[in-house]
């Protein structure tokens, strides 16, 4: 990665009176080369889940040993028995995998109307339809 960066960069032409700015560019490039390998010592962004969201606001960078905690999204409740909701940034820069630990809440069951029926599920986010009986 650092090598390809070097080949793409055309070296700035140095005139005597521009020596200082050229040296500045040199220092900048050396700093970049030093920083690039260390910036890969971090986990990717926290994984996303349908039923869970981060408890705390996401950080820009996570290092091995950092922990993140998830909570149920709006409309979801914890599955029982409880499943783990904490992931750890591991030494190889991957997050410990988690299962979806929450499930959709359900609205109270609706009774069938006289001469008809309710069609659909009562889970968060779903619709039901009232259907008239034939005739
Ligand atoms: C979440 O934030 C609180 C307060 O800022 C902090 O004490 C706690 O350690 C954080 N928890 C995680 C899992 O990052
Ligand atoms: C990272 O390390 C963990 C724990 O040692 C292991 O289970 C996982 O398979 C590793 N992942 C990769 C992509 O190497
Ligand atoms: C209830 O909904 C299902 C799926 O949308 C549909 O196939 C079925 O025909 C519906 N039943 C009635 C009685 O409308």
């Amino acid at each position: 990665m650092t090598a390809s960066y070097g080949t793409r960069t055309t070296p700035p032409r140095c005139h005597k009176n521009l020596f200082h700015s050229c040296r500045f560019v040199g220092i900048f490039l050396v700093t970049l080369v030093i920083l690039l390998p260390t910036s890969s010592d971090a986990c990717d962004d926290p994984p996303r889940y349908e039923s869970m969201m981060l408890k705390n606001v996401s950080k820009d960078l996570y290092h091995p040993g950092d922990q993140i905690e998830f909570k149920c999204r709006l409309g979801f409740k914890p599955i029982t028995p409880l499943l783990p909701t904490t992931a750890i940034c591991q030494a190889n820069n991957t997050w410990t995998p988690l299962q979806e630990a929450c499930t959709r809440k359900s609205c109270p069951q609706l009774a069938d109307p006289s001469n008809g029926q309710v069609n659909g599920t009562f889970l968060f986010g779903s619709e039901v339809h009232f259907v008239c009986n034939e005739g």
Side-chain angles (χ1 to χ4, degrees):
M1 189 170 179
T2 54
S4 68
Y5 185 87
T7 54
R8 272 205 309 273
T9 310
T10 52
R13 278 174 295 160
C14 287
H15 301 289
K16 281 228 161 65
N17 56 347
L18 285 175
F19 176 72
H20 284 291
S21 65
C22 282
R23 192 167 61 173
F24 175 77
V25 170
I27 290 169
F28 175 75
L29 287 177
V30 167
T31 309
L32 204 64
V33 166
I34 291 170
L35 285 180
L36 275 176
T38 58
S39 73
S40 70
D41 185 28
C43 274
D44 288 338
D45 288 342
R48 291 184 59 83
Y49 296 95
E50 186 196 7
S51 72
M52 312 185 287
M53 58 191 275
L54 280 179
K55 240 180 196 173
N56 283 2
V57 287
S58 181
K59 288 200 299 180
D60 289 339
L61 210 57
Y62 290 96
H63 297 293
D66 285 352
Q67 294 195 7
I68 47 173
E69 228 183 303
F70 290 87
K71 63 179 180 184
C72 292
R73 289 187 190 276
L74 195 73
F76 290 78
K77 60 179 184 194
I79 290 173
T80 45
L82 296 179
L83 293 170
T85 53
T86 301
I88 300 165
C89 177
Q90 302 175 104
N92 59 11
N93 292 328
T94 64
W95 290 103
T96 49
L98 293 179
Q99 297 176 47
E100 299 278 355
C102 306
T103 186
R104 282 170 200 278
K105 290 181 183 172
S106 185
C107 283
Q109 199 94 8
L110 290 171
D112 285 341
S114 47
N115 304 315
Q117 64 182 66
V118 178
N119 193 4
T121 73
F122 301 98
L123 293 177
F124 167 67
S126 55
E127 280 181 6
V128 295
H129 296 268
F130 292 88
V131 187
C132 293
N133 290 339
E134 194 72 45

